Amino acid sequence: MRQDAVVSVDGGPVEIGIIGGSGLYELLDDAVVNRLDSAWGPPSGAVTIGTLAGRRVAFLPRHGSRHEHAPHRVNYRANIDVLVELGVRQILAPCAVGSLTPELSAGTLAVPDQLVDFTRGRAGTFADDFGIAMQHASFADPYCARLRRILVESGRSRSWPAVDGGAMVVIEGPRFSTRAESRFYAAQGWTLVNMTALPEAALARERGVCYASLALVTDLDAGIGRGDSVTAEGALRVFRANVDRLRGVLAEAVGRLGDAAGCGCCD
């Protein structure tokens, strides 16, 4: 552990982490709240360590316990750093997304396999300088194939088949897309739109951590659907209606996770 990191919990390392949002804060049994810090500043909120599907899991609220951090203001580096210092080697990242195709309607579950970065100005790397060695992370396939497979299988097991694959474009936020923007994204063949998957996934890769997103479609993006534009209230309503099912899929996935050692894709 680095001397400038301030991370300490009882019970030893925690290998599995979940970074999530609203509705998932009460995910764990026997939960203990840990207020931690890192060399990159404070994370979004306290890290809760508890039990899920018989496994010891660390949960970190991406936007804070009161959803106070806007997507462009989340301290992604601190979030990943704190989990890694706890011993986390596998991260499941549930998130709400918009759909860029009518075939993926609200309530659809998806496990994307690609990312496109349309964010601006976020601190997206731990490598602020190279020091004595270059640090270019391989990111051609941004998600861990093993974790993706487990998430797809877990959705199927819980009678909620997930769309396997698709490209998710990550926008700066916190505003939603214009109709022209969402039509442009769709025209590229991208299928989902989100505000938080980057730099989160890239930072996990830099630290050699297996990472995969579990995406819940909450709306058709503005240029895809007809009528009114996307609203936060509407998206949150869909998320809340499906959050119990989402918890079930996450529990199923955690129960299926083995040891990350030897995974290969994120070494």
Side-chain angles (χ1 to χ4, degrees):
M1 182 181 294
R2 299 186 317 278
Q3 294 301 309
D4 54 358
V6 185
V7 176
S8 178
V9 297
D10 295 330
V14 184
E15 189 185 74
I16 300 171
I18 296 176
I19 304 176
S22 300
L24 297 172
Y25 301 146
E26 306 299 326
L27 184 66
L28 307 179
D29 297 324
D30 305 318
V32 176
V33 176
N34 300 270
R35 301 191 182 282
L36 308 174
D37 203 354
S38 86
W40 305 95
S44 292
V47 179
T48 303
I49 297 176
T51 304
L52 182 64
R55 304 291 298 276
R56 197 159 179 253
V57 174
F59 175 81
L60 195 155
R62 183 182 287 116
H63 295 281
S65 60
R66 301 183 306 279
H67 210 90
E68 64 268 32
H69 302 299
H72 66 299
R73 300 292 290 176
V74 170
N75 192 341
Y76 296 97
R77 292 194 291 191
N79 288 353
I80 295 296
D81 187 61
V82 162
L83 292 179
V84 170
E85 293 294 345
L86 287 172
V88 167
R89 302 296 300 158
Q90 308 178 83
I91 294 176
L92 302 178
C95 58
V97 301
S99 169
L100 294 170
T101 172
E103 286 71 32
L104 303 184
S105 58
T108 298
L109 194 64
V111 181
D113 63 354
Q114 279 296 322
L115 287 167
V116 182
D117 193 355
F118 266 66
T119 65
R120 301 182 302 277
R122 300 184 183 190
T125 179
F126 290 112
D128 283 344
D129 61 73
F130 281 174
I132 61 174
M134 291 187 294
Q135 301 173 56
H136 297 289
S138 176
F139 207 51
D141 298 299
Y143 292 117
C144 172
R146 179 180 57 86
L147 290 191
R148 288 191 62 259
R149 184 184 70 252
I150 288 171
L151 287 172
V152 170
E153 292 171 350
S154 298
R156 187 180 304 120
S157 177
R158 292 291 179 128
S159 301
W160 196 8
V163 175
D164 185 359
M168 182 155 68
V169 57
V170 187
I171 62 174
E172 182 68 5
R175 69 166 178 84
F176 293 115
S177 303
T178 67
R179 296 188 195 277
E181 287 169 338
S182 62
R183 288 168 186 154
F184 169 76
Y185 303 147
Q188 311 315 303
W190 307 332
T191 55
L192 302 170
V193 59
N194 167 266
M195 298 180 187
T196 58
L198 287 168
E200 193 171 274
L203 293 166
R205 178 59 57 85
E206 284 191 356
R207 287 295 171 88
V209 175
C210 298
Y211 178 100
S213 290
L214 182 64
L216 171 61
V217 175
T218 57
D219 55 81
L220 286 177
D221 211 39
I224 311 305
R226 295 183 177 180
D228 294 338
S229 62
V230 178
T231 66
E233 293 77 15
L236 187 58
R237 185 166 54 250
V238 173
F239 193 91
R240 286 172 174 165
N242 289 278
V243 71
D244 287 341
R245 300 174 75 195
L246 195 61
R247 288 193 191 106
V249 174
L250 286 169
E252 182 75 24
V254 167
R256 291 169 178 252
L257 287 177
D259 195 319
C263 177
C265 68
C266 303
D267 294 338

